[in-house]
Amino acid sequence: MAALAHVPHVVRYFGAWYDNDQLQIQMEVCDCTLQERWGGRKGDDATLVRLMSQMGAALAGMHAMGLAHLDVKAENIYCKAQ
């Protein structure tokens, strides 16, 4: 994940460690997931186009590095306040 630091719209990774046999991952602070923000409601078209563009840019940046997300879903897309 550290290699993705320059990819736009990817949550920043700071480090990982084990504590009492449990993996801890330190990442950029985000406000919520896409599922929590939208909860199945339909947003306006401009917002949806912007969101899909940002997700596409993030995935394209990852794919250009030979990486794949493997579990793209609303619960795994993290959002920050505008």
Side-chain angles (χ1 to χ4, degrees):
M1 286 185 65
L4 299 172
H6 72 282
V7 177
H9 308 295
V10 172
V11 174
R12 300 298 165 242
Y13 164 85
F14 298 110
W17 64 93
Y18 279 96
D19 184 19
N20 294 324
D21 294 326
Q22 182 152 0
L23 178 62
Q24 305 292 321
I25 301 174
Q26 183 179 16
M27 299 168 53
E28 175 181 6
V29 174
C30 295
D31 300 310
C32 61
T33 67
L34 185 61
Q35 176 66 32
E36 292 166 341
R37 177 166 286 172
W38 291 98
R41 293 174 283 132
K42 182 180 182 329
D44 64 273
D45 290 345
T47 299
L48 294 174
V49 167
R50 188 182 80 245
L51 176 63
M52 294 303 291
S53 176
Q54 291 174 355
M55 291 187 325
L59 292 170
M62 292 173 65
H63 293 173
M65 297 178 69
L67 301 171
H69 189 289
L70 300 179
D71 196 18
V72 177
K73 59 186 177 184
E75 295 92 333
N76 291 340
I77 306 296
Y78 291 93
C79 303
K80 292 176 68 176
Q82 296 289 334

